[in-house]
Amino acid sequence: MLIIALHRSYERTCRSCGYTWTVTRRQAQLHVTRSRAAARVRGSQNYYVENAIEAAAADETAQVERAEQFRRCARCGLDDFEQRRLRRRA
């Protein structure tokens, strides 16, 4: 029987300054997803389509900012870190 340990949180330590922060599993796995609707209609000149593309681009930018918030060190701003699983609840 295979038992998979799904840890709820991770501790990240900046390799540059040594600052430590905790992120949940969901925050650690944030990825940017691109809207398929905006990708399909890039060549159209329709006003509503252009608004949809702008809205999708704004959503994508928000996703990038949210993901970067958990990747970067709050002290020095670098994204070079070591990550280890936390066995206790945070």
Side-chain angles (χ1 to χ4, degrees), residues 7-73:
H7 301 284
R8 293 178 186 244
S9 57
Y10 296 92
E11 182 179 76
R12 291 181 172 177
T13 304
C14 180
R15 290 183 179 147
S16 176
C17 68
Y19 180 75
T20 302
W21 69 99
T22 304
V23 295
T24 63
R25 179 176 56 218
R26 185 177 200 140
Q27 293 165 342
Q29 296 173 347
L30 280 177
H31 298 287
V32 177
T33 57
R34 191 163 176 225
S35 172
R36 292 184 208 170
R40 277 190 301 229
V41 293
R42 286 260 182 222
S44 179
Q45 297 299 320
N46 188 345
Y47 173 76
Y48 296 106
V49 171
E50 289 177 10
N51 285 343
I53 291 171
E54 289 174 8
D59 182 50
E60 187 175 324
T61 302
Q63 287 182 24
V64 168
E65 290 174 3
R66 192 169 37 247
E68 286 297 315
Q69 173 185 0
F70 300 111
R71 287 195 59 80
R72 297 204 177 271
C73 173

